[in-house]
Amino acid sequence: GKKQYDREFLLDFQFMPACI
Amino acid sequence: HSLENRWALWFFKNDSSQAWQDNLHLIIKFDTVEDFWAVYGHIQLASKLSSGCDYALFKDGIRPMWEDSRNKRGGRWLVSLAKHQRHSKLDRLWLETLLCLIGESFEEHSQEVCGAVVNIRTKGDKISVWTREAENQASVLHIGHVYKQHLGLSTKAIIGYQAHADTATKSTRNKFVV
């Protein structure tokens, strides 16, 4: 299906360190 | 977390010695939530740009200009800010706009969205969401209602939708309002 993300979900990633 | 679309971030810096298109630069493309934040964290906030600059976020393959075949029959929902709102509101409203785009907030009508632009101008900054077909009234209105809600604008505030064909001829007529 379509990948829809709400703002709270997206904001949770803002300061997450990138996984390498 | 992959996004539904790959997005391209563009930067425009006004330099009147060059042609308009030569002032438009593709910064980067991304297609994951993580890469979006990496990009967002590494660029200047819109409020810190100098007057005459723009950011544009468009679906990969669509250039941020009226002339692009996927824009030319379309139009834009336009949010005009007062001068004093650059420091109080601009960055938040632009981020909400970006999240609406990458999160596909307009449901099935998201396919009508081409991109969004923030214009930094001394006389007042502007944010707009561009859609591909100004005559698709149901989609345009759905996008307008959802967008206004996401920006947290009061019900008394009115935003207008202008067809690019009208804007190109300097007409500022609103085709729709929400």
Side-chain angles (χ1 to χ4, degrees):
Chain A
K2 235 177 179 317
K3 297 185 193 80
Q4 277 184 261
Y5 301 116
D6 63 29
R7 67 185 294 283
E8 286 71 26
F9 179 89
L10 293 169
L11 285 166
D12 275 347
F13 287 83
Q14 184 170 12
F15 300 110
M16 207 173 272
C19 298
I20 300 170
Chain B
H1 294 81
S2 59
L3 300 172
E4 177 70 18
N5 284 287
R6 171 172 285 124
W7 296 89
L9 181 69
W10 300 77
F11 177 65
F12 177 84
K13 189 173 172 60
N14 190 29
D15 175 353
S16 53
S17 70
Q18 296 197 96
W20 186 88
Q21 292 204 15
D22 296 332
N23 290 328
L24 182 65
H25 305 283
L26 173 65
I27 301 176
I28 198 164
K29 296 179 182 182
F30 58 84
D31 61 4
T32 68
V33 178
E34 290 81 354
D35 286 349
F36 163 72
W37 286 116
V39 172
Y40 185 80
H42 279 88
I43 58 173
Q44 290 269 29
L45 288 170
S47 63
K48 304 290 184 211
L49 297 178
S50 44
S51 283
C53 290
D54 303 335
Y55 280 135
L57 186 75
F58 273 72
K59 287 176 180 169
D60 187 17
I62 310 179
R63 291 167 304 151
M65 54 184 76
W66 303 329
E67 298 87 343
D68 191 282
S69 63
R70 291 178 66 184
N71 289 321
K72 65 182 179 188
R73 288 180 307 280
R76 61 178 182 170
W77 280 109
L78 178 64
V79 179
S80 299
L81 285 85
K83 285 182 190 181
H84 69 273
Q85 292 177 313
R86 179 173 298 171
H87 299 290
S88 58
K89 285 199 167 162
L90 178 71
D91 293 326
R92 186 185 68 77
L93 295 180
W94 176 237
L95 178 58
E96 294 296 341
T97 304
L98 297 174
L99 298 182
C100 282
L101 264 57
I102 66 168
E104 308 285 330
S105 296
F106 309 110
E107 288 126 11
E108 72 271 23
H109 302 287
S110 286
Q111 64 192 24
E112 288 286 313
V113 172
C114 296
V117 180
V118 57
N119 308 113
I120 306 304
R121 300 292 183 270
T122 22
K123 60 186 176 187
D125 305 324
K126 290 185 268 187
I127 297 175
S128 52
V129 169
W130 291 33
T131 75
R132 70 178 179 185
E133 177 54 69
E135 299 302 326
N136 286 353
Q137 182 171 350
S139 290
V140 170
L141 288 174
H142 177 88
I143 290 166
H145 283 294
V146 170
Y147 182 48
K148 185 177 172 184
Q149 198 176 20
H150 278 250
L151 293 184
L153 300 183
S154 97
T155 45
K156 282 183 284 183
I158 288 175
I159 59 171
Y161 182 90
Q162 299 155 4
H164 295 317
D166 292 342
T167 311
T169 57
K170 306 286 183 201
S171 157
T172 52
R173 181 176 81 96
N174 283 331
K175 193 173 175 69
F176 306 109
V177 294
V178 295

